[in-house]
Amino acid sequence: MLEKNKNRLLRVIALARQEGAWRALVAVWRRLRHGRPMRGAAIDVFQHFDFVWSKPIAALPGVAAKNTLAWFIPDFNIGSGGHMNIFRMIWYLERMGFESTIYIVTPTQHHNAAEARRIIRRHFSPVEAQVRVGLKRVAPCEFAVATGWDTAYAVRAFEGARHKIYYVQDFEPWFFPMGSEYVLAENTYRFGFFGITAGHWLAEKLARAYGMQTHAVGFGVDQERFKRLPRREPHIRRVFFYARPPTPRRAFELGLLALGEVAKRLPQTHFIFAGWDTTAYHIAFSHHSAGTISVDELPDLFSQCDVALVLSLTNISLLPLELMACGCCVVSNRGDNVQWLLDADVAALADATPEALADAITALLTDAPRRAQLSARGEAFARARHWGSAAQAFVDGLERVRAAPGANAQAHVSTQDDAGDDAAGQQRAASAAI
């Protein structure tokens, strides 16, 4: 029993390091909710879901100046891909004359704003934005930006924004089984926010199913970091697998079954897993589990591999583009959630079955000319995608909101006329661009 509890504790610690303390606590809470609580402990559903009541959040006195954004974010951990996209976008917008303030809605790890800002600037992006912990002192802004379903409730309650934006990177109800969280997440798409989405699949889905006004923003690649590096052992065939067991949408088990079949067919193949520590799993073929590695180590790892298996059951991740920028061929599953970005010209797409995925990987590993051609096309495709273009598309979305205020009417917080607002906004924007 002691050893079993120790293993459970280690899993919780590992999850907290990767997904953040909030996500780890949610996972523990779900487990307790459906199991037997500890003696003397009570599960407080009211406290856990208190945020959904959207108690009004008043803004500080002042002006909602032009070009100001308040980003409402969940707490974060180093390595979070969703947060990386948020902070990267903030940095690019600053270069384009916008001023941002970051509000950590539910601080579970970062209770010190200065320390949180230091971590953001060191491990994510060197933003100029100020960081605030909690929602007790929120300044008025032109745009309040929700960045996840739980933060959408806070944005709905905030009274100091001219416009309210929902930066949607994935269809978050699918992160949960059909139940309370699914419904509460889905409800946020009916709040009347203007949706700026990661890709066309989400834009079309939210517009069709929930009547949201949406604007799609594409993906970019960090061109300075992700590039093809020299191959040290070209005679060894290597397959990379994005292995994340705690993230169901990355289909770890499905991928493992496919790779097991590839190992039977081509036993000399080397397999490299990265994304999570998989040493606790019984894997019946030889492989190297790299676990969680730093972003700076990824380009070399990707460049040493011939093929990568990256599965996405919700919105596609950035990883396929980053792999292709390093010359690695990508195998992924078919679906509108993937094919809004990838097609058969730049990636090998297969049905989401172990057999079909194994066939796609095997076909690439045994056909060097085809593999070389796909690698070259994929690399060119990734090289054409820049975050500056994505940021400009984001600004285009903000301009759409400005042009149609009646479609997203929110409270105006102002103590000056519009000319005064514009002047204040220009002054702040100039400061942010320095």
Side-chain angles (χ1 to χ4, degrees):
M1 177 61 72
L2 182 62
E3 185 65 24
K4 187 175 182 180
N5 289 334
K6 178 183 176 182
N7 290 336
R8 287 174 177 169
L9 178 60
L10 290 174
R11 287 197 296 272
V12 171
I13 293 172
L15 182 61
R17 287 174 178 168
Q18 289 297 313
E19 301 289 336
W22 170 248
R23 299 294 182 192
L25 287 172
V26 169
V28 172
W29 182 82
R30 288 197 199 109
R31 174 67 175 171
L32 291 175
R33 183 177 63 175
H34 297 292
R36 180 179 297 175
M38 294 179 293
R39 181 174 299 176
I43 300 169
D44 193 340
V45 173
F46 298 97
Q47 181 180 7
H48 183 74
F49 289 110
D50 183 62
F51 65 90
V52 306
W53 293 109
S54 297
K55 304 176 185 71
I57 300 172
L60 295 171
V63 176
K66 187 177 181 179
N67 285 356
T68 55
L69 299 99
W71 296 77
F72 290 59
I73 70 169
D75 210 345
F76 60 91
N77 196 50
I78 295 171
S80 168
H83 285 86
M84 174 65 83
N85 295 341
I86 293 167
F87 299 139
R88 182 193 290 114
M89 187 62 69
I90 290 172
W91 186 88
Y92 273 97
L93 292 177
E94 288 173 346
R95 312 280 75 74
M96 302 168 75
F98 288 81
E99 179 184 5
S100 291
T101 305
I102 299 167
Y103 296 91
I104 301 175
V105 173
T106 311
T108 55
Q109 296 189 92
H110 301 101
H111 297 279
N112 181 298
E115 177 65 10
R117 185 173 186 269
R118 185 191 68 79
I119 291 172
I120 291 170
R121 286 172 55 84
R122 179 176 179 182
H123 295 283
F124 291 92
S125 189
V127 299
E128 297 295 333
Q130 295 302 307
V131 177
R132 302 284 183 263
V133 173
L135 301 173
K136 292 184 179 180
R137 295 180 57 82
V138 183
C141 61
E142 184 179 14
F143 300 100
V145 186
T147 59
W149 75 273
D150 42 358
T151 69
Y153 285 89
V155 170
R156 182 177 66 168
F158 180 51
E159 299 176 335
R162 293 190 173 196
H163 307 288
K164 296 184 178 182
I165 307 296
Y166 201 161
Y167 184 31
V168 185
Q169 298 190 61
D170 210 337
F171 188 70
E172 292 185 300
W174 284 351
F175 292 7
F176 310 102
M178 182 58 72
S180 299
E181 286 108 329
Y182 184 106
V183 171
L184 291 171
E186 185 183 39
N187 287 346
T188 63
Y189 301 139
R190 302 184 178 96
F191 285 178
F193 300 161
F194 183 91
I196 296 182
T197 67
H200 296 284
W201 171 70
L202 276 171
E204 293 168 3
K205 182 176 181 62
L206 297 181
R208 182 177 61 254
Y210 305 99
M212 284 183 69
Q213 292 192 63
T214 57
H215 179 86
V217 172
F219 285 169
V221 175
D222 184 343
Q223 302 288 344
E224 293 300 315
R225 171 175 280 130
F226 293 100
K227 60 185 66 175
R228 189 191 295 257
L229 298 176
R231 183 72 179 266
R232 289 186 292 275
E233 299 172 308
H235 60 284
I236 297 177
R237 293 287 164 257
R238 291 191 178 91
V239 175
F240 172 84
F241 179 40
Y242 183 44
R244 285 190 59 80
T247 310
R249 62 187 180 276
R250 299 305 173 208
F252 169 74
E253 297 83 2
L254 175 61
L256 201 60
L257 292 172
L259 294 181
E261 178 61 22
V262 174
K264 292 177 183 177
R265 299 178 188 178
L266 302 172
Q268 300 305 313
T269 304
H270 290 209
F271 298 90
I272 300 177
F273 295 5
W276 192 263
D277 181 4
T278 59
T279 55
Y281 289 80
H282 172 69
I283 298 173
F285 56 89
S286 178
H287 69 286
H288 171 64
S289 180
T292 304
I293 63 177
S294 70
V295 175
D296 290 335
E297 294 176 282
L298 290 176
D300 183 67
L301 174 59
F302 293 168
S303 297
Q304 306 311 313
C305 296
D306 298 277
V307 176
L309 177 61
V310 183
L311 301 176
S312 296
L313 303 184
T314 59
N315 200 19
I316 190 171
S317 75
L318 293 176
L319 206 57
L321 286 179
E322 294 167 347
L323 283 153
M324 289 190 287
C326 298
C328 184
C329 296
V330 169
V331 173
S332 190
N333 53 287
R334 290 194 180 97
D336 292 342
N337 57 307
V338 171
Q339 290 175 260
W340 72 262
L341 180 64
L342 303 182
D343 60 28
D345 191 54
V346 297
L349 303 176
D351 292 339
T353 69
E355 298 87 351
L357 293 167
D359 288 345
I361 297 169
T362 302
L364 280 173
L365 290 176
T366 55
D367 190 340
R370 180 187 171 216
R371 193 171 64 247
Q373 292 168 3
L374 187 64
S375 170
R377 292 197 301 268
E379 184 178 10
F381 180 76
R383 287 272 158 255
R385 269 124 192 97
H386 300 272
W387 283 114
S389 299
Q392 181 57 59
F394 196 102
V395 172
D396 293 344
L398 299 182
E399 293 293 350
R400 281 187 58 190
V401 176
R402 284 172 172 161
N408 188 44
Q410 304 293 347
H412 285 239
V413 178
S414 176
T415 59
Q416 304 179 24
D417 58 23
D418 288 343
D421 288 358
D422 290 347
Q426 293 168 6
Q427 183 177 5
R428 294 187 184 191
S431 298
I434 295 175

